[in-house]
Amino acid sequence: MINLSRRIFLALGIWVFLLVSSSAWGKTLTVCKSCAYASVKTAVQKAKPGDTVLVKGGLYQESGIEVNKPLVLLGQNYPVIDGKNTGEIISITSDQVTVQGFTLQNVATSYRRDDAAIRVLGRNHIKILDNTILKTFFAIYLQNAEDIVIKGNKVKGENANRNETALGNAIHLYYCNNAVISNNDVQGHRDGIYLETVKDAKVHHNLSHQNQRYGMHFMFSDRNVYTHNTFKQNGAGVAVMYTHNVHMAHNTFEDNWGAASYGLLLKDISNSTIENNLFRGNTTALHMESSSRLQIRRNDFERNGWAVKLLTSCLEDTFQLNNFTGNSFDVSTNGSSANNFFERNYWERYTGYDLGRDQIGDVPYRPVSLYSMLVEKVPASVMFMRSFMIDLLDSMERVLPSIIPDQLVDERPLMKKIHHDTDRKPVQALRQTASAATGERHL
């Protein structure tokens, strides 16, 4: 009798397990022209929590698709959902949703609603993967969301002959936490990636190019990390404003060129790190205003108009082990005060000597030239660049400084350019120096 009860109990347990497992895995609802479901919206409405809606390749002219339950919305052979400029295409109003493998296109400009191809409002654990998004006002728009993954998407807007106010952003996050944004290709919008009041985000391996304003834009967003991204041919590469504790490393800022263009614009930022980045061919590579306690080290500044514009409102910033080559101006400032620190950088223009043969120049180098300060005050004087008279004035000023800030000086300039990936000797030497010092500056 006891054995019979045990068998019944065991059989009942197996039945419950299979029932629960079946519910957890969910069903697959297939959408195609000849399937049980010919409409994506209808299939999403009929699906149960945990189901997968598999949409096969083809053209679906739909908008207003609301995903209000945990669901995987999966495209096979990149089905095209064309919004026909009739409103938002996909709205996610549930946690635990994945949207992957679609081409979404044609969302009209909407100043009142800020329509997007994919919108998430107040939800968590969302994944937006491997989609192509074309001709939309906003492409991906998340607000009050947490634990987000936005990966492998290609976003292309149309910004030709349009001003900033007529454009939305490609990836837009507002009041979000713990987002991972990686391997996306974004172009043709106002900002490629926009983060406002976003905490603890990781942004890496993205290509942001040909956007009207910024490749990426931070506002009031602390404790974020962005690495291995390329920001190319934007109105400006990246703007970081009113933010603290940002780590910026191994990024490329390239060909951000224009009358008021920057590779990296910093305004009211503090306690952050900028290291191992490449700044090449920008009007101004690094513009710093009201920024304090930044570590700027092991970067390459190549062939920029201005490598660094360091305004006198900046305090306690440290430049170490950077290469400055081929720039029209290495460092410029707008006043005589100097409250920042330069040490062991390589300056291509340095003409000093090294009698001790320790690869450190025996004569300090003053990176601010008289001519750069003149251009700062009288922009039209740029027409005299590279003339003999300017070179003569700069040489005299460096020997007997009277106008340039005499405290803005690299006391230990390097004699050779640093190869950051392989040349560890200068880095180790500086670490030893830092360890012996008071600990105010750390590598």
Side-chain angles (χ1 to χ4, degrees):
M1 186 67 180
I2 294 175
N3 288 337
L4 179 61
S5 299
R6 285 180 177 174
R7 288 176 183 175
I8 293 172
F9 181 77
L10 180 62
L12 184 62
I14 293 173
W15 180 79
V16 170
F17 173 76
L18 291 174
L19 183 65
V20 171
S21 298
S22 175
S23 176
W25 291 339
K27 298 179 180 178
T28 297
L29 289 73
T30 305
V31 181
C32 70
K33 298 302 180 186
S34 58
C35 297
Y37 299 99
S39 162
V40 179
K41 182 187 292 185
T42 302
V44 169
Q45 289 172 344
K46 295 293 184 182
K48 303 296 183 185
D51 284 352
T52 296
V53 174
L54 176 66
V55 183
K56 294 193 173 183
L59 175 62
Y60 304 84
Q61 295 181 339
E62 302 184 46
S63 62
I65 301 168
E66 182 183 0
V67 183
N68 57 5
K69 66 204 79 171
L71 203 67
V72 175
L73 191 55
L74 182 63
Q76 185 181 66
N77 296 325
Y78 285 96
V80 178
I81 303 180
D82 189 337
K84 300 282 287 184
N85 297 318
T86 57
E88 215 147 68
I89 296 177
I90 298 174
S91 301
I92 298 173
T93 57
S94 169
D95 297 340
Q96 303 282 357
V97 173
T98 298
V99 178
Q100 182 172 12
F102 288 88
T103 296
L104 308 172
Q105 62 186 31
N106 294 326
V107 173
T109 300
S110 57
Y111 295 112
R112 187 169 56 85
R113 299 186 308 271
D114 287 346
D115 281 345
I118 303 173
R119 177 186 290 271
V120 180
L121 178 61
R123 293 299 171 181
N124 305 324
H125 303 289
I126 305 298
K127 296 180 180 178
I128 301 172
L129 312 172
D130 305 319
N131 302 287
T132 299
I133 302 176
L134 308 171
K135 300 179 182 176
T136 63
F137 185 41
F138 285 82
I140 300 170
Y141 193 123
L142 295 99
Q143 181 176 347
N144 294 95
E146 292 190 8
D147 300 314
I148 307 150
V149 178
I150 303 171
K151 182 179 179 182
N153 301 284
K154 294 183 179 180
V155 180
K156 185 175 183 179
E158 292 188 338
N159 60 5
N161 302 316
R162 302 177 72 180
N163 57 35
E164 290 180 3
T165 57
L167 294 165
N169 301 320
I171 298 174
H172 182 108
L173 271 63
Y174 179 67
Y175 267 100
C176 296
N177 294 330
N178 298 316
V180 176
I181 303 171
S182 66
N183 299 92
N184 300 286
D185 180 342
V186 296
Q187 63 172 306
H189 281 263
R190 180 173 57 203
D191 294 344
I193 301 170
Y194 179 86
L195 308 179
E196 182 173 351
T197 323
V198 172
K199 312 291 186 187
D200 303 309
K202 295 180 176 58
V203 183
H204 54 89
H205 293 99
N206 299 283
L207 170 61
S208 182
H209 54 121
Q210 298 173 311
N211 294 290
Q212 191 89 329
R213 189 170 61 176
Y214 301 122
M216 186 163 67
H217 189 182
F218 286 82
M219 293 287 285
F220 312 106
S221 295
D222 303 335
R223 304 193 308 269
N224 295 300
V225 174
Y226 71 93
T227 64
H228 298 94
N229 302 283
T230 297
F231 306 100
K232 186 174 183 179
Q233 296 176 343
N234 299 286
V238 175
V240 184
M241 301 180 178
Y242 311 106
T243 294
H244 313 291
N245 297 310
V246 180
H247 181 62
M248 302 165 256
H250 298 283
N251 300 289
T252 297
F253 304 84
E254 188 170 25
D255 293 334
N256 299 292
W257 195 265
S261 189
Y262 313 97
L264 176 57
L265 168 64
L266 306 178
K267 181 175 175 59
D268 282 279
I269 170 177
S270 65
N271 299 311
S272 298
T273 305
I274 302 168
E275 62 181 4
N276 289 104
N277 299 285
L278 170 62
F279 297 86
R280 181 166 57 203
N282 304 284
T283 302
T284 300
L286 177 58
H287 180 99
M288 300 172 60
E289 180 178 348
S290 301
S291 300
S292 58
R293 298 182 297 281
L294 307 186
Q295 299 290 327
I296 301 116
R297 58 200 180 199
R298 297 194 291 273
N299 301 285
D300 290 319
F301 295 90
E302 298 179 359
R303 306 197 309 273
N304 302 284
W306 283 263
V308 177
K309 279 193 174 182
L310 182 63
L311 305 192
T312 54
S313 56
C314 296
L315 300 171
E316 301 179 25
D317 299 317
T318 301
F319 293 78
Q320 294 171 316
L321 299 169
N322 301 289
N323 290 316
F324 292 84
T325 58
N327 305 296
S328 297
F329 303 107
D330 288 331
V331 179
S332 72
T333 186
N334 60 341
S336 57
S337 62
N339 299 297
N340 302 286
F341 178 74
F342 286 80
E343 185 185 50
R344 298 202 190 207
N345 300 284
Y346 173 75
W347 310 91
E348 188 183 51
R349 289 190 177 86
Y350 181 64
T351 56
Y353 46 84
D354 176 23
L355 296 179
R357 296 187 178 182
D358 58 357
Q359 303 301 320
I360 305 295
D362 295 343
V363 181
Y365 179 68
R366 302 184 190 282
V368 178
S369 69
L370 174 63
Y371 182 47
S372 71
M373 299 196 69
L374 180 61
V375 170
E376 195 71 30
K377 295 181 182 299
V378 187
S381 63
V382 75
M383 69 178 68
F384 298 110
M385 183 176 290
R386 307 194 196 290
S387 68
F388 171 74
M389 185 59 68
I390 294 297
D391 291 340
L392 183 62
L393 285 172
D394 276 343
S395 297
M396 293 175 60
E397 182 67 12
R398 284 198 175 97
V399 175
L400 299 170
S402 58
I403 296 176
I404 63 174
D406 57 353
Q407 295 178 341
L408 205 162
V409 58
D410 189 337
E411 296 281 358
R412 298 168 64 80
L414 296 177
M415 298 299 294
K416 292 184 178 179
K417 183 179 177 182
I418 310 164
H419 299 286
H420 290 122
D421 290 334
T422 57
D423 193 349
R424 299 295 179 192
K425 189 175 179 180
V427 178
Q428 291 169 356
L430 193 53
R431 279 180 176 152
Q432 291 172 0
T433 303
S435 298
T438 59
E440 293 178 351
R441 301 182 183 94
H442 301 282
L443 286 177

